Amino acid sequence: MRLGLCTAPANSELAARLGYDYIEGNLSQIAAMEEKDFEELAKKAPTLPAPILKCNCFLPGNIKLVGPDANREELEAYLKKAFSRASKLGVKVAVLGSGGARRVPENWDFSEAWRQIADFLRLANEYGEKYDIDIALEPLRAKECNILNYVSEGVLLSALVNLPRVYTLADTFHMICGCEPMESLKNAGKALRHVHISHPLDDHSGRDYPRPNDGMDYAGIFAMLKEMGYEGDVSIEAATQDIEKDGEVAFRLLKPLA
């Protein structure tokens, strides 16, 4: 399994020096870049020491895919720009977390919300096919979003829409916050396209980089992924005040397990 860091393209050289195989960028930030700035990044992309193979933050919070403000034309215009740019950078997986975009508004029917998400996935799949990018549904803890909170739900939704570019993601932080057993990784089977890993803070208010003896069973998680024949990658998604120091410690811990 390849290991990556969720970080800005500016940290590509640092990530590679620490041993990481790739970085996971921010799709909504990439879509919002001025054209001149994006073209400069696109020129550098083929030679980045750690390539931008994944992107998270699929949609900005002001573009809604659920509720009365969801607008197909706006969503399609965003997908066209975001996926076109992501493709030029070499991105292969776009992670659909985006709790603000998919949060179900008060008094909105949840069955309609699920239909809206499914409709959006059908639209996104078209652009995934066009630009050779897979979509990984990210279940988020209830504190961040009130729909699609469990890996099992992501697997179910991806199975029901049955689209060639739609898979699910497992984030160990959100799983722990939702008391979802790690066995959900194994149950996800071939629907599991990507994994985020981190160390949750004791009060679950956030997460930091993995480190030895922090209470997480990283060996067990990687062993389970290997046992199930997982073919994707694993990205560290967490906060840090010192990416070089924390990134090095995390890499030395996780690389032998991968």
Side-chain angles (χ1 to χ4, degrees), residues 84-99:
S84 172
R85 286 187 168 189
S87 176
K88 290 178 182 178
L89 299 180
V91 172
K92 294 301 180 184
V93 176
V95 176
L96 179 51
S98 307

Side-chain angles (χ1 to χ4, degrees), residues 52-233:
I52 311 170
L53 298 184
K54 328 281 182 186
C55 275
N56 54 31
C57 299
F58 197 108
L59 285 163
N62 65 308
I63 297 181
K64 305 299 182 183
L65 66 89
V66 164
D69 296 326
N71 182 288
R72 181 183 173 88
E73 289 72 25
E74 181 181 34
L75 289 167
E76 186 162 13
Y78 175 83
L79 283 169
K80 182 177 181 180
K81 183 177 184 179
F83 272 44
S84 172
R85 286 187 168 189
S87 176
K88 290 178 182 178
L89 299 180
V91 172
K92 294 301 180 184
V93 176
V95 176
L96 179 51
S98 307
R102 75 174 198 231
R103 174 175 290 277
V104 182
E106 187 175 357
N107 298 323
W108 190 256
D109 184 71
F110 267 76
S111 59
E112 176 60 22
W114 284 110
R115 282 191 289 268
Q116 287 178 303
I117 293 173
D119 286 343
F120 175 74
L121 292 175
R122 295 184 186 97
L123 179 61
N125 182 75
E126 295 177 14
Y127 285 89
E129 290 278 69
K130 180 177 181 179
Y131 292 107
D132 190 25
I133 296 174
D134 289 338
I135 298 133
L137 293 164
E138 181 175 23
L140 300 172
R141 59 180 178 157
K143 185 177 181 180
E144 295 182 32
C145 191
N146 58 357
I147 194 170
L148 188 53
N149 304 118
Y150 298 99
V151 173
S152 57
E153 291 179 316
V155 173
L156 176 61
L157 181 56
S158 64
L160 290 175
V161 295
N162 193 27
L163 298 166
R165 290 291 178 173
V166 176
Y167 299 84
T168 194
L169 172 144
D171 186 309
T172 60
F173 172 69
H174 295 297
M175 292 176 73
I176 289 170
C177 289
C179 299
E180 186 171 17
M182 289 298 160
E183 284 71 20
S184 290
L185 296 172
K186 185 185 296 185
N187 295 340
K190 295 299 182 182
L192 186 63
R193 184 65 176 85
H194 191 36
V195 172
H196 285 165
I197 200 165
S198 61
H199 167 255
L201 302 181
D202 290 342
D203 62 358
H204 292 178
S205 61
R207 46 190 159 171
D208 52 17
Y209 276 47
R211 60 185 185 277
N213 304 312
D214 64 7
M216 281 286 289
D217 183 16
Y218 301 111
I221 292 170
F222 277 91
M224 187 176 298
L225 291 172
K226 289 180 179 179
E227 181 184 350
M228 62 179 277
Y230 175 63
E231 298 178 350
D233 302 322

